[in-house]
Amino acid sequence: MAAAYVLLLAALLALASSPTMARDPGALQDLCVADNTSNVFVNGFVCKDPKLVKAEDFFLSGLDVPRDTTNKVGSNVTLINANRIPGLNTLGISMARVDYAPFGLNPPHIHPRATEIQTVLEGSLYVGFVTSNPDNKLVTKVLRKGDVFVFPQGLIHFQFNYGTKKAVALSGLSSQNPGVITIANSVFGSKPDISDDILAKAFQVDKKIIDQIQAHF
């Protein structure tokens, strides 16, 4: 497991140092610790007075603790971004721990602002992403402990634990705020609902089927 952490750390450093991968605006000073008490709205977070910066602004513990996966999809994503570690502000990276129950799924989703690189710490995962129109090519791989996979920015991707034991993965993301859009939630659970006529035509199904799907969101 230690080797996997080292591998992910190296990947995070590469993401942060590459101008083509780290899309967030570059820092103009050594650090810009987020001031989460400020009411000023900016692209990111207002900087705390450097004189008030402390080690705790760059620290978080407890990522080794298993998360609860007793939900409909059987997975739990713990995102570590500038909201959780203020010192990440303007540094262009974040990370996530993902826990999967047996046969748990991290449903198809996209990160609009980040590329994701993931390594498996426990168990095995069936992962994949779909390229954009017109090809819509599905690229998949079975990952085992120590394996690494990259999900390009903005492409639909997923992870599925096809095993009978739990799985755990760690991801690095090339933005301090990668964002996430879960496809099913966005399409069928929008507020207000997208018109049945629109969805029925888009998916080429009867409107009754759309109503049944929307009832679950």
Side-chain angles (χ1 to χ4, degrees):
M1 185 176 293
Y5 275 105
V6 172
L7 187 61
L8 184 66
L9 178 60
L12 283 169
L13 290 173
L15 287 174
S17 62
S18 171
T20 60
M21 296 294 286
R23 304 295 180 87
D24 291 4
L28 299 178
Q29 58 277 321
D30 289 343
L31 47 87
C32 175
V33 173
D35 181 359
N36 293 321
T37 65
S38 175
N39 293 321
V40 177
F41 290 93
V42 296
N43 186 25
F45 295 96
V46 173
C47 301
K48 178 190 288 189
D49 184 341
K51 296 177 181 178
L52 303 178
V53 168
K54 50 190 177 182
E56 285 72 17
D57 293 323
F58 301 87
F59 173 79
L60 180 74
S61 64
L63 200 58
D64 60 322
V65 178
R67 269 52 179 182
D68 183 11
T69 56
T70 54
N71 52 55
K72 291 182 179 180
V73 295
S75 68
N76 190 322
V77 179
T78 304
L79 179 63
I80 309 301
N81 57 13
N83 289 307
R84 302 288 300 278
I85 302 180
L88 281 174
N89 191 37
T90 74
L91 298 185
I93 58 172
S94 57
M95 66 185 300
R97 171 186 171 125
V98 191
D99 291 77
Y100 309 84
F103 305 107
L105 172 70
N106 189 9
H109 61 281
I110 67 171
H111 299 296
R113 294 179 291 276
T115 291
E116 178 179 358
I117 183 168
Q118 183 178 73
T119 184
V120 177
L121 302 182
E122 294 181 36
S124 56
L125 296 171
Y126 172 67
V127 306
F129 63 83
V130 181
T131 63
S132 57
N133 298 348
D135 294 336
N136 301 126
K137 180 178 179 180
L138 175 62
V139 179
T140 65
K141 186 73 174 176
V142 174
L143 305 183
R144 295 178 175 84
K145 183 177 179 179
D147 291 344
V148 178
F149 197 80
V150 174
F151 304 99
Q153 179 174 340
L155 296 188
I156 295 174
H157 61 283
F158 62 88
Q159 303 106 31
F160 176 65
N161 178 13
Y162 65 94
T164 57
K165 297 181 179 180
K166 70 176 183 178
V168 181
L170 201 62
S171 293
L173 299 120
S174 61
S175 171
Q176 74 174 50
N177 184 24
V180 61
I181 300 172
T182 304
I183 307 305
N185 292 5
S186 298
V187 174
F188 298 108
S190 66
K191 297 178 180 59
D193 292 341
I194 298 174
S195 166
D196 288 357
D197 292 323
I198 292 174
L199 293 180
K201 189 166 187 176
F203 289 97
Q204 294 295 290
V205 296
D206 190 274
K207 287 196 291 184
K208 292 181 179 179
I209 295 177
I210 297 297
D211 290 337
Q212 291 173 354
I213 295 174
Q214 287 179 324
H216 291 280
F217 291 89

